[in-house]
Amino acid sequence: MGERNLKSNRRGFTFDELISGEKPEEFIESAQPFMKLMMQYQCAMLEVQTKFEVLNTELSLDNDRNPIESISCRIKKPMSIVEKLKRKGVEVSLSSIEKNLHDVAGIRVICFFPKDIYKLAEKICSQDDIRVVEKKDYIQNPKPNGYRSLHLILEIPVFFADEKKWMQVEVQFRTIAMDFWASIEHKVKYKKDIDASTADIVEKLRGCAESIHSLDIRMQEISEYIDTKR
């Protein structure tokens, strides 16, 4: 297809018509390049996931425990991709996806303690086949609502059958406590018939975030104390 706009294919069908299932043959033809791009993001995501699994195994030898509690991965859904491109006011096309979106492929790494997050981030960023595109530390500098996490945009080379291609993957690091807060905040934020932006709810959520952060630090201190007694 080359550089075909996702809004329509060469026969003039709109993107909405194609995804509606009314013209399945045209949809399949138009979707192939998009599916290939999503496959490439999937492969990049798996490459980064494997790197974290290796680090988790290796670092467990140093501390007699795994720094990672769990790893989850996701590829952004097609309609979410289109909606985000539209919000950004940019063209809805394959090249625009690669140029303007950094979170098509996403990995969430849940750690036990904040120090594990920084250790893993340091190790992954120091690997010579990784390019760090962006780093946002919402642990040291939480968002106004209390949200804490460490975000990285990483670029990694992926070797396909006929090409080597640098692909971007977003990585979010959270502790178990941070992830618990973020999950609850998300449910509250999008709950129907409730305005989660009211000052009272915002303040309560921020207070919970501070309490959870204090818990993270206290549990980390207990863990470090126990380590010194071994």
Side-chain angles (χ1 to χ4, degrees):
M1 179 175 85
E3 183 47 46
R4 182 180 298 175
N5 193 299
L6 289 182
K7 290 179 180 176
S8 62
N9 68 3
R10 65 190 175 196
R11 299 184 185 180
F13 299 116
T14 67
F15 185 74
D16 289 339
E17 286 176 331
L18 291 172
I19 64 173
S20 70
E22 296 173 2
K23 301 177 175 63
E25 298 84 2
E26 288 81 1
F27 171 69
I28 291 172
E29 178 187 353
S30 180
Q32 282 297 329
F34 176 79
M35 291 168 63
K36 179 179 179 180
L37 180 60
M38 294 303 102
M39 175 275 294
Q40 292 174 334
Y41 276 114
Q42 177 86 20
C43 292
M45 185 176 68
L46 292 175
E47 292 261 10
V48 176
Q49 179 184 2
T50 299
K51 285 179 174 292
F52 280 116
E53 289 170 347
V54 171
L55 283 171
N56 190 41
T57 301
E58 181 184 2
L59 294 175
S60 69
L61 298 176
D62 298 332
N63 301 313
D64 197 29
R65 67 173 182 84
N66 295 100
I68 297 177
E69 194 274 334
S70 65
I71 302 174
S72 59
C73 303
R74 69 102 183 96
I75 296 293
K76 191 177 282 293
K77 294 180 180 180
M79 287 310 302
S80 295
I81 290 173
V82 172
E83 289 167 1
K84 190 163 186 178
L85 289 173
K86 288 181 177 179
R87 286 199 304 271
K88 285 176 169 284
V90 296
E91 181 186 25
V92 182
S93 66
L94 295 181
S95 64
S96 184
I97 291 172
E98 295 186 85
K99 179 181 178 181
N100 296 294
L101 300 187
H102 305 293
D103 61 344
V104 174
I107 294 179
R108 184 168 296 154
V109 181
I110 307 301
C111 300
F112 289 95
F113 305 111
K115 66 178 182 180
D116 296 329
I117 290 175
Y118 289 107
K119 185 73 169 179
L120 286 164
E122 175 192 354
K123 293 298 183 183
I124 197 77
C125 291
S126 66
Q127 296 188 8
D128 59 11
D129 61 341
I130 288 283
R131 295 174 180 169
V132 182
V133 177
E134 186 177 87
K135 177 180 179 180
K136 291 184 178 179
D137 190 344
Y138 296 116
I139 300 176
Q140 296 296 325
N141 303 288
K143 291 185 177 182
N145 66 349
Y147 173 84
R148 281 183 166 87
S149 181
L150 178 65
H151 291 195
L152 297 177
I153 304 297
L154 303 178
E155 205 167 48
I156 183 171
V158 185
F159 292 84
F160 301 104
D162 300 313
E163 65 175 327
K164 167 189 171 183
K165 187 172 182 179
W166 286 86
M167 304 293 299
Q168 292 187 356
V169 179
E170 182 193 51
V171 182
Q172 294 181 357
F173 297 90
R174 298 175 185 170
T175 63
I176 299 171
M178 291 174 197
D179 191 56
F180 167 75
W181 182 91
S183 297
I184 299 299
E185 190 269 347
H186 182 79
K187 289 182 181 296
V188 171
K189 185 177 180 180
Y190 293 99
K191 196 171 183 67
K192 293 181 180 179
D193 304 322
I194 293 179
D195 184 4
S197 65
T198 60
D200 182 53
I201 294 178
V202 169
E203 189 56 38
K204 288 181 184 297
L205 285 169
R206 187 185 297 112
C208 288
E210 290 299 326
S211 297
I212 284 176
H213 180 60
S214 296
L215 177 63
D216 263 339
I217 300 303
R218 288 167 61 192
M219 293 299 289
Q220 179 172 282
E221 290 171 349
I222 292 171
S223 175
E224 292 172 343
Y225 176 78
I226 292 173
D227 288 342
T228 63
K229 296 301 181 182
R230 289 178 178 174

